[in-house]
Amino acid sequence: MSMRLRAVAMAAAAVLGSGLISGCGDGETTPVLLRSGTTLGVAWYLWAWEQKGSLCMWTGTPAGPDGGDITPPPNAVTGGQCDYTDTYPAATYYMGAEGGTDGKDDFTVSLVFGPLPSDATHIKVATQLTLTTQPFPSGKGLPTGRYWVWVDSYVPPASVGSVLDVPQPLDDQGKPVAFQIF
């Protein structure tokens, strides 16, 4: 993963961290588990909900997103964001989370994710890797749109090519789609 993408993800996690997740209040929907899995022996869970008019996507445990009474285990994949825009210095249209350890306190797993407009059926994340996006589940209080998740080793294999500094949403014909504020 490029140093720039790692830096953006880590800065956003630090700035937007626990205050947003633990500051739940008015206008919040029930968190919905979007995806989960195990990568390199590290379990991960990606949750989404709306809070005060903005979308939140955050890692967590099977019980829910990190924060409040939910504490991830050591070396869990952690990170997330609310308010997917380019308004704030550390905010962006996508987010990353890291976890696992190689025994030298270096991460082993990276998870990158974000929301997309309904017509963005794919997203190019590296020169040799384009992912299919998924629609947000309907009837769960989430916005209309799609989301994407890329989970891999912290340093992706050479087979994916060069990681793009800014992932590129694409439509069914492979044409670029602009990011959307969520």
Side-chain angles (χ1 to χ4, degrees):
M1 179 172 281
S2 75
M3 291 301 291
R4 184 171 186 274
L5 190 54
R6 279 187 224 142
V8 168
M10 292 176 78
V15 171
L16 298 170
S18 62
L20 287 172
I21 195 88
S22 62
C24 299
D26 296 338
E28 181 178 329
T29 61
T30 301
V32 175
L33 180 63
L34 295 177
R35 298 259 307 268
S36 63
T38 301
T39 304
L40 301 175
V42 178
W44 55 269
Y45 304 86
L46 182 61
W47 293 85
W49 70 99
E50 280 207 0
Q51 178 176 300
K52 297 181 182 175
S54 72
L55 176 69
C56 297
M57 294 177 74
W58 215 279
T59 59
T61 70
D66 296 344
D69 295 334
I70 298 175
T71 303
N75 301 322
V77 174
T78 58
Q81 178 171 310
C82 293
D83 200 21
Y84 285 85
T85 70
D86 62 356
T87 305
Y88 307 108
T92 181
Y93 290 109
Y94 57 93
M95 182 59 182
E98 293 83 28
T101 184
D102 64 358
K104 299 179 221 166
D105 291 330
D106 292 327
F107 294 121
T108 57
V109 176
S110 180
L111 183 101
V112 187
F113 53 88
L116 294 167
S118 295
D119 58 343
T121 56
H122 297 84
I123 188 161
K124 187 171 188 169
V125 296
T127 55
Q128 302 298 318
L129 183 61
T130 299
L131 307 172
T132 301
T133 66
Q134 302 298 317
F136 282 116
S138 62
K140 303 287 185 181
L142 297 175
T144 300
R146 300 179 74 85
Y147 70 95
W148 62 282
V149 178
W150 180 28
V151 62
D152 208 328
S153 57
Y154 189 71
V155 177
S159 61
V160 303
S162 298
V163 175
L164 302 181
D165 285 338
V166 179
Q168 178 60 66
L170 304 169
D171 64 16
D172 279 334
Q173 287 75 43
K175 294 183 179 163
V177 174
F179 281 103
Q180 173 183 322
I181 293 173
F182 282 91

